């Protein structure tokens, strides 16, 4: 049961660590999201003089030639010429441009006639500033509040030094003006057209400012990719760890139940073995504990110690064959009674031969009354001929007997016990085991 509790504690600690890691990942990811949002919300701006290549704008005559496109007869005293200008917006940022606007500052007298595909916010300064946003391809002249001329189908909005226009791109899905993808994954470029009139036909549109925002996803950069790997990895570890813990704890729980059934069964046998003699209550259980303690201090591994424990627990199982009147007799036994008592070793071994799961259990029952000098029973083996397990149990058995009161004598004192073992080492007991036992007698008494 202790082992199961330890394993449950270990599993709880592991899952607590995993939960802490998850909290750490989430906190880190939230911090990362804040950084990305800050990056995305940053107001960015370039001018004609900007040196950055992240985003560029280039305003030039279409086709790179001065193309005198049209003459106009709107004015009786002058002839104005038109030219198509193209503004090429390029996104090299490796992110998506989510919105942008292009402001063109006017430094000479001219007329804006048309622009596509978006709308144009026009700022005219006469006696006061007049501002209007128009779709120059689709307008109602009656709604225009700005100064303007109509020359046939052509709208001419006069501009002079200090005026400016702001182009806002078309946001419809049919247009590729915005959002504008990166050159890293797409063309990353859009061209807008503007028709301007002037006396010379050449209008200087080189003074501009472009404002924009770029957007990257939470998983676009290296940090984001790390989080993208970390979260599924954590989930996988949780699933696999949980499954392993469930299997191991289930298996361990079954093992503990089986072990408890084994313990209960053997303890019951030990109780039955001791039941006929009031003065031997719990004798087998004590002998089992002492035997295992001795074995542990002799350096035996756990499975051997367990085998010695269960063998010692059952060493007197043959007592079933001895009448209660003999086992509990207060006076000296007759020779015939002694023979009956001594047979408990043989009868016990006979029973324990049927148990395969405990090695040497039958030997333990058979030889635990043998003496090291060969004067014991039932066979008279001596020295190393006596199985080690039986020599260990003999010492533990003798200690428990000396350590309890009997009908015919009092309980031995500790010094009497030590003296008894020293006097009988090499005759009744294996001296090596006596040495081990005396070295741990204080711990055993505790
Ligand atoms: Fe015995």
């Amino acid at each position: 049961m202790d082992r199961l509790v330890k394993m449950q504690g270990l599993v709880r600690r592991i899952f607590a660590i995993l939960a802490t890691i998850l909290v750490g990942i989430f906190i880190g990811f939230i911090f990362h999201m804040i950084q990305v949002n800050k990056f995305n919300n940053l107001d960015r701006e370039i001018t004609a003089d900007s040196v950055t290549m992240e985003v560029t704008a280039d305003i030039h005559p279409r086709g790179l030639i001065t193309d005198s496109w049209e003459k106009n007869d709107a004015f009786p005293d002058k002839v104005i010429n038109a030219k198509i200008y193209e503004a090429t917006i390029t996104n090299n940022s490796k992110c998506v441009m989510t919105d942008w606007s292009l402001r063109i500052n006017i430094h000479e007298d001219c007329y804006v006639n048309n622009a596509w595909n978006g709308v144009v916010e026009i700022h005219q300064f006469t006696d006061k500033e007049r501002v209007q946003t128009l779709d120059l391809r689709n307008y109602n002249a009656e709604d225009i509040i700005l100064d303007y001329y109509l020359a046939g189908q052509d709208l001419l909005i006069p501009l002079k030094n200090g005026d400016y226009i702001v182009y806002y791109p078309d946001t419809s899905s049919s247009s590729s003006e915005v959002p504008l993808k990166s050159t890293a994954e797409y063309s990353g470029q859009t061209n807008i057209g503007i028709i301007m009139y002037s006396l010379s036909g050449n209008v200087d549109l080189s003074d501009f400012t472009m404002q924009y925002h770029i957007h990257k996803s939470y998983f676009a950069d290296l940090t984001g990719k790390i989080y993208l790997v970390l979260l599924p990895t954590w989930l996988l570890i949780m699933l696999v760890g949980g499954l392993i813990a469930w299997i191991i704890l289930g298996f361990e729980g079954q093992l503990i139940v089986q072990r408890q059934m084994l313990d209960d069964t053997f303890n019951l046998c030990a109780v039955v073995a001791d039941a006929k003699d009031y003065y031997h209550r719990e004798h087998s259980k004590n002998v089992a504990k002492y035997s295992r303690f001795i074995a542990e201090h002799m350096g035996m591994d756990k499975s051997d110690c367990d085998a010695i424990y269960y063998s010692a627990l059952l060493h007197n199982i043959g007592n079933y064959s001895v009448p209660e009147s003999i086992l509990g007799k207060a006076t000296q036994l007759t020779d015939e009674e002694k023979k009956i008592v001594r047979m408990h070793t043989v009868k016990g071994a006979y029973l324990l031969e049927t148990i395969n799961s405990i090695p040497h259990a039958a030997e333990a029952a058979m030889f635990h009354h043998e003496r090291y000098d060969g004067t014991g029973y039932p066979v008279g083996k001596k020295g190393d001929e006596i199985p080690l397990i039986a020599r260990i149990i003999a010492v533990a058995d003798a200690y428990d007997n000396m350590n309890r009161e009997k009908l015919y004598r009092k309980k031995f004192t500790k010094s009497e016990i030590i003296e008894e073992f020293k006097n009988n080492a090499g005759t009744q007991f294996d001296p090596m085991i006596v040495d081990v036992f005396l070295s741990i007698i204080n711990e055993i008494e505790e």
Side-chain angles (χ1 to χ4, degrees):
M1 191 60 78
D2 283 352
R3 193 169 149 182
L4 183 63
V5 171
K6 277 180 189 170
M7 290 199 70
Q8 286 171 335
L10 179 66
V11 169
R12 269 197 294 273
R13 278 196 293 279
I14 290 172
F15 278 92
I17 290 169
L18 282 172
T20 307
I21 290 172
L22 180 65
V23 170
I25 291 173
F26 268 113
I27 290 173
F29 188 63
I30 288 169
F31 183 73
H32 172 69
M33 286 168 70
I34 292 170
Q35 295 295 103
V36 170
N37 288 340
K38 201 171 161 186
F39 175 88
N40 291 344
N41 293 328
L42 185 65
D43 294 330
R44 299 164 193 271
E45 184 179 287
I46 58 167
T47 65
D49 300 326
S50 296
V51 292
T52 176
M53 290 300 292
E54 179 185 81
V55 169
T56 62
D58 178 36
I59 305 175
H60 49 269
R62 173 165 285 182
L64 296 176
I65 57 169
T66 304
D67 178 18
S68 185
W69 181 57
E70 184 180 353
K71 290 184 179 179
N72 189 280
D73 58 356
F75 308 102
D77 56 342
K78 58 184 176 184
V79 174
I80 56 173
N81 295 286
K83 187 180 285 184
I84 300 176
Y85 292 86
E86 190 171 75
T88 302
I89 313 300
T90 307
N91 175 17
N92 296 314
S93 68
K94 297 185 179 175
C95 302
V96 175
M97 278 177 70
T98 50
D99 64 83
W100 57 270
S101 64
L102 181 65
R103 168 175 167 161
I104 301 172
N105 297 312
I106 304 299
H107 294 293
E108 59 189 297
D109 290 345
C110 59
Y111 304 86
V112 60
N113 167 243
N114 206 344
W116 60 94
N117 299 306
V119 295
V120 181
E121 183 182 279
I122 300 167
H123 293 249
Q124 268 182 344
F125 291 86
T126 49
D127 52 331
K128 60 176 183 177
E129 181 184 16
R130 279 182 284 181
V131 182
Q132 188 167 17
T133 302
L134 294 170
D135 179 349
L136 295 176
R137 294 185 300 168
N138 183 20
Y139 59 87
N140 187 344
E142 292 172 0
D143 297 334
I144 299 176
I145 61 167
L146 303 164
D147 284 345
Y148 71 96
Y149 302 97
L150 275 175
Q153 294 297 311
D154 289 328
L155 174 69
L156 297 171
I157 296 174
L159 299 168
K160 61 182 177 49
N161 185 29
D163 292 347
Y164 64 92
I165 61 173
V166 184
Y167 177 86
Y168 291 99
D170 180 18
T171 55
S172 66
S173 58
S174 60
S175 161
S176 60
E177 293 184 351
V178 68
L180 183 59
K181 291 185 178 176
S182 164
T183 49
E185 60 173 336
Y186 201 64
S187 71
Q189 203 170 69
T190 188
N191 295 297
I192 61 172
I194 304 171
I195 299 176
M196 300 293 288
Y197 281 78
S198 67
L199 284 173
S200 67
N202 291 314
V203 181
D204 178 10
L205 301 182
S206 62
D207 181 12
F208 66 84
T209 303
M210 194 174 94
Q211 293 183 325
Y212 63 96
H213 289 101
I214 57 176
H215 177 274
K216 67 177 178 182
S217 80
Y218 295 130
F219 304 107
D221 59 13
L222 180 63
T223 309
K225 286 183 171 66
I226 289 172
Y227 283 115
L228 197 62
V229 172
L230 275 181
L231 285 170
T233 304
W234 180 90
L235 200 63
L236 188 68
I237 291 172
M238 273 295 280
L239 286 174
V240 173
L243 188 64
I244 291 173
W246 180 69
I247 291 171
I248 289 177
L249 289 179
F251 179 72
E252 190 70 20
Q254 279 185 346
L255 216 59
I256 285 170
V257 170
Q258 289 171 0
R259 178 74 172 259
Q260 190 62 50
M261 286 172 68
L262 193 71
D263 275 355
D264 290 347
T265 306
F266 289 161
N267 276 325
L268 182 64
C269 293
V271 169
V272 170
D274 297 335
K276 289 183 177 177
D277 183 355
Y278 174 80
Y279 290 91
H280 275 78
R281 293 284 189 275
E282 298 212 331
H283 168 71
S284 297
K285 197 173 175 181
N286 287 346
V287 172
K289 283 192 290 187
Y290 304 149
S291 297
R292 174 148 68 187
F293 207 50
I294 294 167
E296 284 170 355
H297 282 80
M298 287 172 70
M300 293 187 183
D301 62 32
K302 187 178 179 306
S303 61
D304 286 340
C305 290
D306 282 347
I308 287 172
Y309 175 84
Y310 287 115
S311 299
L313 201 57
L314 302 174
H315 76 286
N316 269 349
I317 190 73
N319 276 353
Y320 79 90
S321 64
V322 184
E324 208 166 320
S325 57
I326 298 177
L327 272 181
K329 191 174 178 181
T331 54
Q332 189 79 22
L333 297 179
T334 65
D335 287 345
E336 190 56 35
E337 287 170 336
K338 281 180 186 172
K339 275 185 189 174
I340 292 170
V341 167
R342 289 176 177 183
M343 279 304 287
H344 82 279
T345 54
V346 179
K347 297 272 176 87
Y350 179 74
L351 283 183
L352 295 178
E353 271 179 357
T354 61
I355 295 181
N356 298 317
S357 57
I358 310 174
H360 311 299
E363 286 180 347
M366 184 76 167
F367 300 117
H368 71 275
H369 284 293
E370 297 290 0
R371 291 171 57 102
Y372 199 67
D373 58 7
T375 60
Y377 68 86
V379 179
K381 282 180 180 286
K382 66 177 182 179
D384 293 346
E385 292 172 8
I386 306 167
L388 179 60
I389 190 171
R391 281 179 271 150
I392 291 172
I393 291 172
V395 171
D397 188 17
Y399 171 72
D400 189 65
N401 276 324
M402 287 185 247
N403 201 32
R404 64 173 66 227
E405 190 175 317
K406 298 280 177 88
L407 264 176
Y408 49 88
R409 65 155 171 80
K410 285 186 175 176
K411 175 179 168 179
F412 282 38
T413 65
K414 183 179 171 185
S415 56
E416 285 171 338
I417 291 171
I418 294 170
E419 192 181 345
E420 186 74 9
F421 272 114
K422 283 181 177 172
N423 290 340
N424 290 287
T427 52
Q428 184 177 352
F429 308 114
D430 181 338
M432 182 270 289
I433 295 170
V434 168
D435 284 347
V436 172
F437 178 77
L438 292 180
S439 72
I440 57 174
I441 189 169
N442 290 335
E443 294 168 72
I444 286 178
E445 295 227 319
E446 283 171 12

